[in-house]
Amino acid sequence: MKVKIFPLSIPYITDPPSEWVDQWGVQLYVKVEDGEYYGWGETLIAGSGIIGAYSSIISDLIKPLLENMSLNSPYELENLLEKIMFSAGNCGVVTGAISSVEMGFWGLMSRRIKVPLYELFGGKFRDSVKVYASFPRFPRIEDVIKAVEIAKEKGFNFIKLHQSPNSILEAVKKIRENYKEIKIAIDLNAPFDINKAKDFLENISRYEIEWVEEPLWPPNDYYTLEKLTKISPVPIAAGENEYTLYGFRRLLESGISYLQPDIAKIGGISKFLKVLDLASSYNVKIAPHDRPDRSPISLIYTLNLALAREEIEIVEYPIAEFPQDLFPLLPVFKKGYAIPPDNIEVNERIIEEKYPFINKIRILHFSDLEDKLKQ
Ligand SMILES: [Mg+2]
């Protein structure tokens, strides 16, 4: 199998403008080819945009390895790569790099046996997928309100906010004053200790919140998370920073209400399917994470998974437009639901022409970094 790597930058443009124009403007695509068929995959470049670490795993190890091998199963590929790299830690950069290649393998198989992706994932259970509008961070509360208005006009009835821990309460209050009916989730990205988290959850609970996502630092402290879920007046969501099946099991046992695995981080689709099987014996809803930038590759796979798998409740969806010049086939959104294309097609020529990778430091002000870096 041949693997081609494409680093690129799709600027994150929204109305109103957000604080993350550059931070969400870093993408890594791969094209997997077997001589006759091909598939596209995408790695989520986490950790403030350190693209070289991810791409070097693919170019220095995965690409030469696969050139001389014939593999017939993405599960086999994922397992093999985890075994080869386990002493580097099967999480973060390692599983992120595996993700795009593994995903591309499914895309290739879908073409090889001439069926849509959802058929590979078990067959169509539903015709469209419930999605929510995932906001970036906006500089001002007025911007948040304007974004809510635009999202409503587009047909969204469910939004998720990424405002800083300091300003989120005020933003929610303002939204509720103007919009009684809209569903609101809050993503904190792991800022608080348990006492601050408790205070926050108590204060926010009066505004009818669908879930609060990753309230605690560090996000993998399952023991403290369990203490919090027991007393929280608001449902808790987590999972976008979890990588192993054993970690997902600990997370499920902590009593969270929503689990949020990301196929572009955990090692791809075969791992995701195992997580779904694991989660099916817990009382938890699956709300897959997908970074809501303007890049739709991993989103199209996730939506196809959601067409086939009943456990998936709702999928994270961008408010920004997809680049139509790059993607001849895109998801169609209507009234809170999305229908994905059957597979991914990319105008390869356009990547270099219009979206060349721009290397720069892109620190994402997650957690409580906004306060820390201002000092
Ligand atoms: Mg999140």
Side-chain angles (χ1 to χ4, degrees):
M1 230 165 21
K2 271 210 163 74
V3 179
K4 276 193 206 161
I5 308 166
F6 302 87
L8 65 158
S9 288
I10 304 173
Y12 181 69
I13 298 160
T14 48
D15 177 25
S18 83
E19 293 185 14
W20 293 344
V21 176
D22 287 323
Q23 280 82 347
W24 280 359
V26 49
Q27 281 76 31
L28 183 64
Y29 293 174
V30 304
K31 189 180 187 186
V32 179
E33 297 170 294
D34 69 355
E36 196 171 353
Y37 301 102
Y38 64 93
W40 286 90
E42 172 175 21
T43 286
L44 169 48
I45 305 299
S48 290
I50 38 149
I51 198 165
Y54 292 89
S55 62
S56 87
I57 288 180
I58 303 173
S59 60
D60 297 348
L61 177 81
I62 302 179
K63 186 179 149 79
L65 186 79
L66 293 186
E67 251 158 38
N68 301 308
M69 262 183 107
S70 100
L71 283 172
N72 294 310
S73 145
Y75 287 94
E76 191 186 4
L77 172 75
E78 206 274 329
N79 263 316
L80 177 71
L81 291 174
E82 283 206 9
K83 273 202 174 161
I84 290 172
M85 288 185 274
F86 86 91
S87 61
N90 278 326
C91 60
V93 177
V94 167
T95 53
I98 296 171
S99 297
S100 51
V101 183
E102 199 270 357
M103 222 183 279
F105 199 153
W106 287 92
L108 181 150
M109 286 205 312
S110 146
R111 289 196 166 88
R112 190 191 281 163
I113 59 177
K114 298 179 175 55
V115 294
L117 287 167
Y118 60 78
E119 292 286 0
L120 284 185
F121 302 147
K124 203 185 250 187
F125 170 81
R126 47 171 79 94
D127 292 321
S128 61
V129 180
K130 208 197 304 179
V131 295
Y132 66 88
S134 188
F135 285 16
R137 186 167 296 176
F138 291 108
R140 303 169 310 166
I141 287 179
E142 302 91 274
D143 300 324
V144 180
I145 299 297
K146 188 177 171 201
V148 173
E149 191 56 41
I150 293 171
K152 263 194 63 165
E153 276 166 21
K154 278 191 186 167
F156 286 104
N157 56 6
F158 190 145
I159 60 161
K160 185 171 88 182
L161 303 174
H162 278 103
Q163 294 308 110
S164 73
N166 286 335
S167 65
I168 186 81
L169 200 64
E170 189 58 28
V172 170
K173 197 172 156 223
K174 275 269 152 54
I175 295 171
R176 272 288 171 259
E177 278 168 15
N178 294 289
Y179 307 96
K180 297 269 175 300
E181 69 297 344
I182 202 144
K183 292 183 174 174
I184 306 172
I186 292 171
D187 194 350
L188 293 173
N189 301 108
F192 295 143
D193 64 25
I194 188 157
N195 290 326
K196 282 189 185 150
K198 269 193 221 165
D199 287 348
F200 178 84
L201 291 162
E202 270 159 33
N203 288 332
I204 207 81
S205 63
R206 77 189 70 153
Y207 298 110
E208 289 178 58
I209 300 301
E210 298 302 310
W211 71 66
V212 169
E213 191 168 321
E214 294 195 314
L216 289 175
W217 177 263
N220 310 93
D221 178 357
Y222 314 105
Y223 176 75
T224 308
L225 185 61
E226 185 173 346
K227 280 197 203 165
L228 190 66
T229 62
K230 280 196 175 128
I231 53 164
S232 175
V234 182
I236 304 286
E240 70 175 87
N241 290 301
E242 196 57 74
Y243 301 92
T244 68
L245 279 183
Y246 313 99
F248 277 109
R249 189 164 65 202
R250 297 289 301 277
L251 208 47
L252 288 162
E253 284 167 353
S254 75
I256 56 167
S257 303
Y258 290 87
L259 188 71
Q260 303 173 298
D262 186 325
I263 59 166
K265 293 180 80 175
I266 61 174
I269 288 157
S270 43
K271 176 81 74 71
F272 183 91
L273 291 169
K274 288 181 197 170
V275 172
L276 288 190
D277 287 340
L278 178 71
S280 63
S281 59
Y282 292 84
N283 183 24
V284 65
K285 291 171 178 159
I286 311 291
H289 177 261
D290 191 275
R291 187 171 66 181
D293 55 15
R294 293 174 62 219
S295 170
I297 295 185
S298 68
L299 178 65
I300 291 171
Y301 282 106
T302 303
L303 292 170
N304 271 279
L305 282 159
L307 287 181
R309 295 294 297 245
E310 183 184 6
E311 306 95 313
I312 297 175
E313 170 82 9
I314 191 162
V315 171
E316 185 158 14
Y317 203 82
I319 57 165
E321 300 297 323
F322 301 116
Q324 290 188 13
D325 47 359
L326 203 48
F327 297 94
L329 303 168
L330 283 166
V332 176
F333 170 81
K334 211 175 164 188
K335 291 186 182 163
Y337 287 81
I339 301 172
D342 292 348
N343 202 335
I344 288 102
E345 193 59 83
V346 181
N347 283 333
E348 211 174 309
R349 178 176 62 79
I350 301 287
I351 294 179
E352 253 185 59
E353 242 172 62
K354 290 189 66 179
Y355 302 98
F357 175 63
I358 298 160
N359 200 2
K360 58 166 82 169
I361 291 189
R362 300 175 154 88
I363 294 177
L364 198 54
H365 285 162
F366 269 177
S367 189
D368 54 356
L369 279 179
E370 189 163 78
D371 299 336
K372 287 210 158 65
L373 293 173
K374 259 185 197 161
Q375 286 162 11

